[in-house]
Amino acid sequence: MEYQKVLNDIYNEVSKLPKVGSVATSIPELAKVDPDKFGLYLTTFEGKNFSLGDYQEKFSIQSISKVLTLTMALTFLDEKIWERVSVEPSGNAFNSLVQLEYEQGIPRNPFINAGALVIADMLVTVLKDPKQDFLAFIRMLTGIPTIDFNLNVAKSEKETGFRNAAMANFLKSYGNIKNDVDTVLDFYFHQCSVEMSCKELAQAFYFLTNGGRTQTGKRILSKSQVKRTNALMQTCGFYDESGEFTYKVGLPGKSGIGGGIVALLPEKFVVATWNPRLNKKGNSELGMKSLELLTTKTELSIF
Amino acid sequence: MEYQKVLNDIYNEVSKLPKVGSVATSIPELAKVDPDKFGLYLTTFEGKNFSLGDYQEKFSIQSISKVLTLTMALTFLDEKIWERVSVEPSGNAFNSLVQLEYEQGIPRNPFINAGALVIADMLVTVLKDPKQDFLAFIRMLTGIPTIDFNLNVAKSEKETGFRNAAMANFLKSYGNIKNDVDTVLDFYFHQCSVEMSCKELAQAFYFLTNGGRTQTGKRILSKSQVKRTNALMQTCGFYDESGEFTYKVGLPGKSGIGGGIVALLPEKFVVATWNPRLNKKGNSELGMKSLELLTTKTELSIF
Amino acid sequence: MEYQKVLNDIYNEVSKLPKVGSVATSIPELAKVDPDKFGLYLTTFEGKNFSLGDYQEKFSIQSISKVLTLTMALTFLDEKIWERVSVEPSGNAFNSLVQLEYEQGIPRNPFINAGALVIADMLVTVLKDPKQDFLAFIRMLTGIPTIDFNLNVAKSEKETGFRNAAMANFLKSYGNIKNDVDTVLDFYFHQCSVEMSCKELAQAFYFLTNGGRTQTGKRILSKSQVKRTNALMQTCGFYDESGEFTYKVGLPGKSGIGGGIVALLPEKFVVATWNPRLNKKGNSELGMKSLELLTTKTELSIF
Amino acid sequence: MEYQKVLNDIYNEVSKLPKVGSVATSIPELAKVDPDKFGLYLTTFEGKNFSLGDYQEKFSIQSISKVLTLTMALTFLDEKIWERVSVEPSGNAFNSLVQLEYEQGIPRNPFINAGALVIADMLVTVLKDPKQDFLAFIRMLTGIPTIDFNLNVAKSEKETGFRNAAMANFLKSYGNIKNDVDTVLDFYFHQCSVEMSCKELAQAFYFLTNGGRTQTGKRILSKSQVKRTNALMQTCGFYDESGEFTYKVGLPGKSGIGGGIVALLPEKFVVATWNPRLNKKGNSELGMKSLELLTTKTELSIF
């Protein structure tokens, strides 16, 4: 497979597209980013790397972190997680409280905000130094010791994240947050503030294309856990646009409002894209388009 | 791969499980079936066949027919379908009217009843003799000229299907049914009443594991259309249990309240199961369990 | 109380208001009416009459008929009605199916369409010749033998009333319609098509201001039934604008999309208004304004 | 009217009823109260007083306080209140977040928790010393300088009121809370913790039966504001049982989960009841029954 040629073709095509969507403004600190940054990084199962544009520039991974906290929680609690979170697509916006009320405080899946808050609560319970331990986990996955939080972003989210505070208190009212609400929110705002480049994200997610092992061979998840994590990304990775992404791209993946997307094809490749312009559903328009072109041009998808 | 051994192991395991769930009673004619029938049929990409139990006995395919009507609609209208139906998982029960109201008459996907009714309406518009043409299409897919409607089941649904009548009228009120409501319902009740065996279903769905071509090489859908149809089965094939099925089984598939399930792994196999006992979500409990065992034992899934 | 002076003042004030809202278009036959007709008729408890404008012109009473069918059902079934309909305001649009699904087929109150369909079903069960018997009931209430259906309006609703057909089938699916769906809809479309003038409506509703007796002294409801019927008009008479009407006007009342409103103050007066221009909630803008002026100027309201 | 005889008859009847419902447990401090306390106090328009049982014992007024904060807000802001709160019945439980999301942060009415939080926010803005000023207002209404908060109850609510914290943060996320969330919640928990007896409540609410003036003649609200406040109690005073209360009792009123109810008939009487056992909707079962008997026996209601 001539990946670099495919990537170059993608670059040519998406460069000609009109610029639509805009940078996330819900978190003031995120609104400062240059809207026209574009990066893409693809690592094959065999370890070959291909790249485009600003693939080395760090950005706020935001909700992409939810896959990493879920992974970490799986290593501690495995199937016990599902006593407090479901595995169904939500059919609602990522920050909707409606479904949570109808379903009595059990979030639909770990990738909507409510579900990620419950996972955060689990980690706060099991980790000794939650924020540092989570950083250490990402550094271990990637082998890159400089990956870090952006404290300004974390602070900015804390000051404006009333919807997440509402959600955490709502979960607490149902007994589905065990720790102090502020502690859980603090962890959550920090996990979302982690900054990584496309290249670093591809490295971090490589284990999900490799049956649970990192590039250095370290086992993170069992094969069965990998299948399930990928399944969740497939059905729930793009909020209420998950069906659209599955339909058009046909890969498990996860987006963040920083404009990043990670997607992967088991035993074939893992790919990360970045462009800060978001569509109405909160997903990177150019990232989705690039990945649709990738699976169309390579005729590679899970289907 | 020793499929027959795997199937035998599955049979041994599921035989020991307690009998849970019961036969669908919403359609009186369906309630008459023996609840303990169990069949399974697997056809590999290369054309080898493996079977278990009552795999030759016909049953009511019900909602499994929705994949076949969607396929037929795709051959006529391709992407124009999506102007009237979405591709997102619903997060609600298969016959919920709530979402339809919030989304102004555009069904979430073609596999919930509302979506299937819109697809039925499209076929009523484009086909000369809709019911016979649909039968002819299935007979062509399978090469079996005796596949037919069960007119008693169709009649039984017509007499008790007030919820579907409500849905069709509701869609009509939004202008998303173009033909006469009764004509569309009549077609819909007939499509659901088709009777097929596990073996026949595996034959009918083979083209989705073979990039769009039947076993005799006839092209039904393009590669891209196959990817999209499989994607829809993945995210929407099991009503509000689609996430669970994806999570546990990891294959695109479709269930029906007759107790049948079809699932497939592209370029590997297509498999059909049947047991009439349904869980609370309306899916065959034993069928789901069998398929979970299949992907666990073979370590084959899309993820 | 100088009612005629108050009415004249109201007329002067509302004449100067800009013309807002438009005639109901959901029923084609209704859309033909002159949007600037305006009538008002007030009958005091003591039997004095006061009028304005087009008070003698007949119009389609539409949902105002729901109070009359409820009254008729109360005479046959009294409190047994409430086994199949609730008495709570809906908080939703008059034709929403959402709440009906959450509440398993029990309509919120008898004045939303779903509730009125259940009342219609009750009357179809208990009456010998439902449509004629209902006409006879209104003629008896008013003493006017010429009050009649407008068959063109009834036919027009039948041909376009898919939402009501959806609702009736939905209720039937919950077992809360006992008769044939088409029979119930036929009765319902006829009851809504009755044509009356402001003067005739005031006469018909006089018994609710007179403890249950008509102007000729005939007892229609008990005192307790009158209290309850008025209470229902107070909390549920104006769809999801009932709170607004209670807040601004402070009288029990009922509106219809023909542009009519009837309201009353027990042992003081009954008043009917008509102007076909509807606001966004489906209520007559000018009618509501006139009644607000009436209770403000007279300082008479139930509160 | 022989009120004392009527009250005695009510007492005899309700004494024989089986004890149903239980004390509110959501606030631990409230759960300590004796479930079988029963008091009733009625003050006529002319100033005569009638009483039953524990009418002098203080209890937690809880949501009854919402009428008093609304009154206070009306004196400062009048109609400007309605730019941030609606006047429609909610059709949902008192603490539901669902409707708030659908309606973009504008609470349905000032008597559901969300609405009361917005009113609390308004008072925090306009008052110099909000908590003390509110106390002073109640003391002025009643002429009783000893009425006070129960600080244990306020503290108990603060420690367990995660649902209210969720609501306040949710409102803040829509921009409909202007002050610090914790400050608003602190005020709200204190207003709910006020302790008053049936006698004191009747005195406090007398102005609503007297066109806006207290027993000492002090004007609190205009006549029009009284009409509107009473209208709101009528349509929204009992959460999703407001229709039931209006239907059975036919008086504007307000309940609290401490087991108190205040109701009134303009220019006739104001009445307060107390029994801590609540029905499933959170209203005092015995209080509602007593008031139903009162309006049935006296044949006095607004309808």
Side-chain angles (χ1 to χ4, degrees):
Chain A
M1 179 64 61
E2 272 298 335
Y3 282 113
Q4 194 61 52
K5 186 188 174 314
V6 171
L7 297 198
N8 294 342
D9 289 351
I10 292 171
Y11 190 75
N12 284 335
E13 286 197 36
V14 301
S15 302
K16 290 173 200 151
L17 294 176
K19 289 173 183 174
V20 291
S22 51
V23 172
T25 54
S26 57
I27 304 166
E29 195 66 23
L30 284 189
K32 299 177 181 170
V33 79
D34 176 353
D36 294 319
K37 293 285 179 180
F38 177 70
L40 186 153
Y41 196 83
L42 183 148
T43 297
T44 67
F45 179 58
E46 299 80 11
K48 287 190 185 157
N49 300 302
F50 305 91
S51 63
L52 279 185
D54 308 308
Y55 71 95
Q56 286 182 300
E57 192 158 330
K58 285 171 185 285
F59 57 90
S60 199
I61 68 170
Q62 293 294 318
S63 289
I64 297 173
S65 68
K66 294 170 182 172
V67 183
L68 302 173
T69 52
L70 171 66
T71 299
M72 208 176 176
L74 281 170
T75 66
F76 284 96
L77 301 163
D78 199 18
E79 296 289 299
K80 285 175 72 176
I81 287 176
W82 312 117
E83 295 165 13
R84 293 172 58 191
V85 188
S86 289
V87 297
E88 293 300 325
S90 76
N92 275 307
F94 65 97
N95 58 2
S96 172
L97 279 91
V98 168
Q99 209 160 45
L100 203 53
E101 182 166 330
Y102 287 130
E103 294 175 8
Q104 303 277 305
I106 302 296
R108 266 296 170 106
N109 64 65
F111 297 153
I112 53 172
N113 289 15
L117 284 165
V118 171
I119 299 291
D121 182 58
M122 293 174 184
L123 291 180
V124 167
T125 297
V126 298
L127 298 178
K128 205 166 173 181
D129 184 351
K131 288 186 282 187
Q132 288 311 311
D133 293 354
F134 176 62
L135 265 193
F137 180 71
I138 303 182
R139 290 167 179 170
M140 179 269 287
L141 281 179
T142 54
I144 303 166
T146 57
I147 289 170
D148 211 339
F149 302 125
N150 180 325
L151 298 181
N152 286 332
V153 169
K155 188 163 167 287
S156 187
E157 286 207 51
K158 191 172 223 156
E159 284 161 2
T160 57
F162 299 111
R163 187 108 176 194
N164 282 315
M167 201 102 64
N169 276 289
F170 201 37
L171 288 161
K172 181 91 180 174
S173 78
Y174 285 111
N176 205 6
I177 291 282
K178 310 296 182 189
N179 297 284
D180 179 63
V181 165
D182 287 337
T183 308
V184 174
L185 284 170
D186 180 62
F187 177 82
Y188 178 73
F189 291 142
H190 276 82
Q191 83 172 61
C192 289
S193 81
V194 167
E195 291 191 329
M196 295 171 76
S197 67
C198 289
K199 182 176 177 183
E200 291 167 343
L201 277 170
Q203 287 172 279
F205 278 72
Y206 178 85
F207 74 98
L208 289 172
T209 190
N210 187 30
R213 289 182 191 276
T214 64
Q215 282 188 295
T216 62
K218 186 167 168 55
R219 174 158 298 284
I220 306 299
L221 295 181
S222 71
K223 272 207 162 185
S224 167
Q225 287 173 325
V226 166
K227 176 176 96 174
R228 295 176 175 207
T229 304
N230 287 344
L232 279 164
M233 283 198 282
Q234 193 67 66
T235 50
C236 317
F238 291 78
Y239 315 122
D240 48 344
E241 203 170 34
S242 297
E244 187 83 11
F245 188 80
T246 301
Y247 177 78
K248 287 200 174 147
V249 178
L251 297 176
K254 185 76 201 80
S255 64
I257 60 162
I261 298 178
V262 180
L264 59 97
L265 185 58
E267 305 193 8
K268 293 286 180 190
F269 61 75
V270 55
V271 58
T273 67
W274 175 49
N275 173 260
R277 292 188 188 271
L278 306 182
N279 65 16
K280 284 180 187 167
K281 304 284 189 178
N283 297 312
S284 163
E285 184 71 17
L286 224 56
M288 286 183 68
K289 190 69 196 164
S290 301
L291 295 171
E292 184 182 355
L293 288 170
L294 177 65
T295 56
T296 304
K297 286 177 187 298
T298 60
E299 292 199 338
L300 288 173
S301 87
I302 58 170
F303 301 117
Chain B
M1 178 64 62
E2 272 297 336
Y3 282 113
Q4 193 61 51
K5 186 185 173 316
V6 171
L7 297 198
N8 294 342
D9 288 354
I10 291 171
Y11 191 75
N12 284 336
E13 286 197 37
V14 302
S15 301
K16 290 172 199 150
L17 294 175
K19 288 172 183 173
V20 291
S22 51
V23 172
T25 54
S26 56
I27 305 166
E29 195 66 24
L30 285 189
K32 299 176 180 170
V33 79
D34 175 353
D36 294 319
K37 292 287 179 179
F38 177 70
L40 186 153
Y41 196 83
L42 184 149
T43 297
T44 68
F45 179 57
E46 298 80 12
K48 288 190 188 158
N49 300 302
F50 305 91
S51 63
L52 280 184
D54 307 310
Y55 71 94
Q56 285 182 300
E57 192 158 330
K58 285 171 185 286
F59 57 90
S60 199
I61 68 169
Q62 293 293 320
S63 289
I64 298 174
S65 67
K66 294 170 181 171
V67 182
L68 302 173
T69 51
L70 171 65
T71 299
M72 209 174 175
L74 281 169
T75 65
F76 285 95
L77 301 163
D78 199 18
E79 296 290 297
K80 285 175 72 176
I81 287 176
W82 313 118
E83 296 165 12
R84 293 173 57 191
V85 189
S86 289
V87 296
E88 294 300 325
S90 77
N92 276 307
F94 64 95
N95 58 2
S96 172
L97 278 90
V98 168
Q99 211 160 43
L100 202 53
E101 182 167 331
Y102 286 132
E103 296 174 8
Q104 301 279 302
I106 302 296
R108 266 299 170 105
N109 64 64
F111 297 154
I112 53 172
N113 289 15
L117 284 165
V118 171
I119 299 291
D121 182 58
M122 293 174 184
L123 291 180
V124 167
T125 298
V126 298
L127 298 178
K128 204 164 174 182
D129 185 351
K131 290 187 281 188
Q132 288 311 310
D133 292 353
F134 177 63
L135 264 194
F137 180 71
I138 303 182
R139 289 167 180 171
M140 180 270 287
L141 281 178
T142 54
I144 303 165
T146 57
I147 290 171
D148 211 339
F149 303 125
N150 179 325
L151 298 180
N152 286 332
V153 168
K155 189 164 165 285
S156 187
E157 286 206 52
K158 190 170 223 157
E159 284 162 1
T160 58
F162 300 110
R163 188 107 175 194
N164 283 315
M167 200 101 64
N169 276 288
F170 201 37
L171 288 161
K172 182 91 180 174
S173 78
Y174 284 111
N176 205 6
I177 291 282
K178 310 297 182 186
N179 297 285
D180 178 63
V181 165
D182 287 338
T183 307
V184 174
L185 284 170
D186 181 63
F187 178 82
Y188 179 72
F189 292 142
H190 276 82
Q191 82 171 64
C192 290
S193 82
V194 167
E195 290 191 330
M196 295 170 75
S197 67
C198 289
K199 182 175 176 183
E200 292 166 343
L201 276 170
Q203 289 172 277
F205 279 73
Y206 178 85
F207 75 98
L208 289 171
T209 191
N210 187 30
R213 289 182 191 276
T214 64
Q215 283 188 294
T216 62
K218 187 169 166 52
R219 175 158 297 286
I220 305 299
L221 295 182
S222 71
K223 272 207 163 184
S224 167
Q225 288 173 324
V226 167
K227 176 176 96 175
R228 295 176 174 206
T229 304
N230 286 344
L232 279 164
M233 284 198 282
Q234 193 67 66
T235 50
C236 317
F238 291 78
Y239 314 122
D240 48 344
E241 204 171 33
S242 296
E244 186 85 11
F245 188 81
T246 301
Y247 177 79
K248 287 197 175 150
V249 178
L251 296 177
K254 185 75 203 77
S255 64
I257 62 164
I261 298 178
V262 180
L264 59 97
L265 185 58
E267 304 193 8
K268 291 289 178 189
F269 61 75
V270 54
V271 58
T273 66
W274 175 47
N275 174 260
R277 291 188 188 273
L278 306 181
N279 65 16
K280 284 179 186 166
K281 305 283 189 178
N283 296 314
S284 163
E285 184 71 18
L286 225 57
M288 286 182 68
K289 190 70 196 163
S290 300
L291 294 172
E292 184 182 355
L293 288 170
L294 176 67
T295 56
T296 304
K297 285 176 188 298
T298 60
E299 291 198 340
L300 287 172
S301 87
I302 59 168
F303 301 117
Chain C
M1 180 63 63
E2 271 299 334
Y3 281 113
Q4 194 61 50
K5 186 187 173 315
V6 171
L7 296 198
N8 293 342
D9 288 352
I10 292 172
Y11 190 75
N12 284 336
E13 286 197 36
V14 301
S15 299
K16 291 173 198 148
L17 295 174
K19 289 172 183 173
V20 292
S22 50
V23 172
T25 53
S26 57
I27 306 167
E29 193 67 23
L30 285 189
K32 299 176 181 171
V33 80
D34 175 354
D36 294 319
K37 293 286 180 180
F38 176 69
L40 187 153
Y41 197 83
L42 184 149
T43 297
T44 68
F45 179 57
E46 297 81 11
K48 286 191 188 155
N49 299 303
F50 304 91
S51 62
L52 279 184
D54 307 311
Y55 71 94
Q56 284 182 300
E57 193 158 330
K58 285 171 185 285
F59 57 91
S60 201
I61 68 169
Q62 293 295 319
S63 289
I64 298 174
S65 68
K66 294 170 181 172
V67 182
L68 302 174
T69 51
L70 172 65
T71 299
M72 209 175 176
L74 281 169
T75 66
F76 284 96
L77 301 163
D78 198 18
E79 297 289 299
K80 286 174 71 176
I81 287 176
W82 313 117
E83 295 165 13
R84 294 171 57 191
V85 188
S86 289
V87 296
E88 293 300 325
S90 76
N92 275 307
F94 65 97
N95 57 2
S96 171
L97 279 90
V98 169
Q99 209 161 45
L100 203 54
E101 182 165 330
Y102 286 132
E103 294 175 8
Q104 302 278 304
I106 302 295
R108 266 298 170 104
N109 64 64
F111 297 154
I112 53 171
N113 289 15
L117 284 164
V118 171
I119 299 291
D121 182 58
M122 293 173 184
L123 290 181
V124 167
T125 298
V126 298
L127 299 178
K128 205 164 172 183
D129 185 350
K131 288 187 282 187
Q132 288 312 310
D133 292 354
F134 176 61
L135 265 194
F137 180 70
I138 303 182
R139 289 167 179 172
M140 179 269 287
L141 281 178
T142 53
I144 303 166
T146 56
I147 290 170
D148 211 339
F149 303 125
N150 179 326
L151 298 180
N152 286 333
V153 169
K155 188 163 166 286
S156 187
E157 287 207 51
K158 191 170 224 157
E159 283 162 2
T160 58
F162 299 111
R163 188 106 174 197
N164 283 315
M167 200 101 65
N169 277 287
F170 202 37
L171 288 161
K172 182 92 180 173
S173 77
Y174 285 112
N176 204 7
I177 292 281
K178 310 297 180 187
N179 297 283
D180 179 62
V181 165
D182 287 336
T183 307
V184 174
L185 284 169
D186 180 62
F187 177 82
Y188 179 72
F189 292 142
H190 276 82
Q191 82 171 63
C192 290
S193 81
V194 167
E195 290 191 330
M196 295 169 76
S197 66
C198 289
K199 182 176 177 183
E200 291 165 344
L201 277 169
Q203 289 171 277
F205 279 72
Y206 178 85
F207 75 97
L208 289 171
T209 191
N210 187 29
R213 289 183 192 275
T214 63
Q215 283 187 292
T216 61
K218 185 167 168 54
R219 175 159 297 286
I220 304 300
L221 295 182
S222 72
K223 273 205 162 186
S224 167
Q225 287 173 325
V226 167
K227 176 176 96 175
R228 295 175 175 207
T229 303
N230 287 344
L232 279 163
M233 283 198 282
Q234 192 68 66
T235 50
C236 317
F238 291 78
Y239 314 123
D240 48 344
E241 204 171 32
S242 296
E244 187 84 10
F245 187 80
T246 300
Y247 177 78
K248 287 199 176 149
V249 178
L251 297 177
K254 185 75 203 78
S255 65
I257 61 163
I261 298 179
V262 180
L264 59 98
L265 185 58
E267 305 194 7
K268 292 286 180 193
F269 62 75
V270 54
V271 58
T273 66
W274 176 49
N275 174 258
R277 292 188 188 273
L278 306 181
N279 66 15
K280 284 180 188 167
K281 304 285 188 176
N283 296 314
S284 163
E285 185 70 17
L286 224 55
M288 287 183 68
K289 191 68 194 164
S290 301
L291 294 172
E292 184 182 355
L293 288 170
L294 177 66
T295 57
T296 304
K297 286 176 189 296
T298 60
E299 291 200 338
L300 288 173
S301 87
I302 58 169
F303 302 118
Chain D
M1 178 66 59
E2 272 297 337
Y3 281 114
Q4 194 60 52
K5 186 184 172 316
V6 171
L7 297 197
N8 294 342
D9 288 353
I10 291 171
Y11 190 74
N12 284 337
E13 286 197 36
V14 301
S15 301
K16 290 172 197 149
L17 295 175
K19 289 173 184 173
V20 292
S22 51
V23 173
T25 53
S26 57
I27 305 166
E29 195 67 23
L30 284 190
K32 298 176 181 171
V33 78
D34 175 353
D36 294 319
K37 292 285 179 181
F38 177 70
L40 187 153
Y41 197 83
L42 184 149
T43 297
T44 67
F45 179 55
E46 297 81 12
K48 289 192 185 154
N49 300 303
F50 305 91
S51 63
L52 279 184
D54 307 311
Y55 71 94
Q56 285 181 300
E57 195 157 328
K58 283 170 185 285
F59 57 90
S60 200
I61 68 168
Q62 293 295 318
S63 288
I64 298 174
S65 67
K66 294 170 182 171
V67 183
L68 302 174
T69 51
L70 171 65
T71 299
M72 209 175 176
L74 280 170
T75 66
F76 283 97
L77 301 163
D78 197 19
E79 297 289 298
K80 286 175 72 175
I81 287 177
W82 313 117
E83 294 164 14
R84 294 171 57 192
V85 188
S86 289
V87 297
E88 293 300 324
S90 77
N92 275 308
F94 65 97
N95 58 3
S96 172
L97 278 90
V98 168
Q99 210 160 42
L100 203 53
E101 183 166 330
Y102 287 131
E103 295 175 7
Q104 302 279 305
I106 303 295
R108 267 297 171 106
N109 64 65
F111 297 153
I112 54 172
N113 289 14
L117 284 164
V118 171
I119 300 290
D121 182 57
M122 292 174 185
L123 291 180
V124 167
T125 297
V126 297
L127 298 178
K128 204 164 175 182
D129 185 350
K131 288 187 283 187
Q132 288 312 310
D133 293 353
F134 177 62
L135 264 193
F137 180 70
I138 303 182
R139 289 168 180 170
M140 180 269 288
L141 281 179
T142 55
I144 303 165
T146 56
I147 289 171
D148 211 341
F149 303 125
N150 179 325
L151 298 180
N152 286 333
V153 169
K155 186 162 168 287
S156 187
E157 286 207 52
K158 190 171 224 158
E159 284 162 1
T160 57
F162 299 111
R163 187 106 174 195
N164 283 315
M167 201 102 63
N169 276 288
F170 202 37
L171 288 162
K172 182 91 179 172
S173 78
Y174 284 110
N176 205 5
I177 292 280
K178 310 296 181 187
N179 297 284
D180 179 62
V181 164
D182 287 336
T183 307
V184 175
L185 284 169
D186 181 62
F187 178 82
Y188 179 72
F189 291 143
H190 276 82
Q191 82 172 63
C192 290
S193 82
V194 167
E195 290 190 330
M196 295 169 78
S197 66
C198 289
K199 183 176 175 182
E200 291 165 343
L201 277 170
Q203 288 171 277
F205 278 71
Y206 179 84
F207 75 98
L208 288 172
T209 191
N210 187 29
R213 290 181 190 276
T214 64
Q215 283 189 292
T216 61
K218 187 169 166 51
R219 174 158 298 285
I220 305 300
L221 295 181
S222 71
K223 273 205 161 184
S224 167
Q225 288 173 325
V226 166
K227 176 177 96 175
R228 295 175 175 208
T229 304
N230 287 344
L232 279 163
M233 284 199 280
Q234 192 68 64
T235 50
C236 318
F238 291 77
Y239 314 123
D240 48 343
E241 204 171 32
S242 296
E244 187 83 11
F245 188 79
T246 300
Y247 177 78
K248 286 198 177 150
V249 177
L251 297 177
K254 184 75 203 80
S255 64
I257 62 163
I261 297 178
V262 179
L264 59 97
L265 184 58
E267 304 194 7
K268 291 288 180 191
F269 60 76
V270 54
V271 57
T273 66
W274 175 48
N275 174 260
R277 291 187 189 273
L278 306 182
N279 66 15
K280 284 179 186 167
K281 304 283 188 176
N283 297 313
S284 163
E285 183 71 18
L286 225 55
M288 286 182 69
K289 190 69 195 164
S290 301
L291 294 172
E292 185 183 353
L293 289 170
L294 177 66
T295 55
T296 304
K297 285 177 189 297
T298 60
E299 292 199 337
L300 288 173
S301 87
I302 57 168
F303 301 119

